[in-house]
Amino acid sequence: MGFRFRKSIKLFPGFKINLTHKGISSATLGKPGASVNIGKKGTRTSVGIPGTGVSYSKHRPYTKKANPPQQSTQQPPVFNPVNTTQSKSKLWLWIAFGVLCFMIGAIIF
């Protein structure tokens, strides 16, 4: 069995850091209901309704953006307004859900 150590330190309301035996593992900004966790492998955004068990979480790993050599015969990507509109409406839906969850969490706590 391996040695493990984990400690969470609240620096001020809404911000805490997580320590392990290797050092700082992550930092969390937010309150129950809506938070962003920034760690070594990427960021995780979570929204939920506190006390109900209902939540949504999305992980975005850090990626290295390598620019592959471009061929001069390639055509530029075609702009598709249908996909842009759909992605913007989904984004606003998730933002509204997050704000709603944050307000419910603030009222409950």
Side-chain angles (χ1 to χ4, degrees):
M1 179 173 244
F3 170 74
R4 287 189 174 193
F5 171 78
R6 184 169 181 99
K7 177 71 177 169
S8 181
I9 300 173
K10 185 176 181 181
L11 296 178
F12 52 87
F15 184 74
K16 67 180 179 177
I17 59 171
N18 299 309
L19 303 172
T20 65
H21 67 282
K22 293 182 179 181
I24 297 174
S25 65
S26 65
T28 303
L29 180 64
K31 295 193 174 226
S35 65
V36 176
N37 186 297
I38 303 166
K40 294 179 181 179
K41 295 182 180 180
T43 60
R44 179 171 298 277
T45 306
S46 302
V47 292
I49 303 171
T52 64
V54 177
S55 66
Y56 174 78
S57 180
K58 185 166 187 174
H59 181 254
R60 292 188 179 236
Y62 298 127
T63 58
K64 294 181 182 178
K65 294 186 178 184
N67 292 331
Q70 298 268 337
Q71 295 179 359
S72 61
T73 59
Q74 281 186 328
Q75 295 292 329
V78 177
F79 178 71
N80 189 349
V82 174
N83 290 341
T84 305
T85 306
Q86 288 176 353
S87 64
K88 284 183 181 179
S89 65
K90 286 182 183 179
L91 174 66
W92 284 108
L93 178 67
W94 284 114
I95 290 173
F97 178 70
V99 169
L100 177 69
C101 292
F102 184 76
M103 289 172 51
I104 291 172
I107 291 169
I108 292 173
F109 295 103

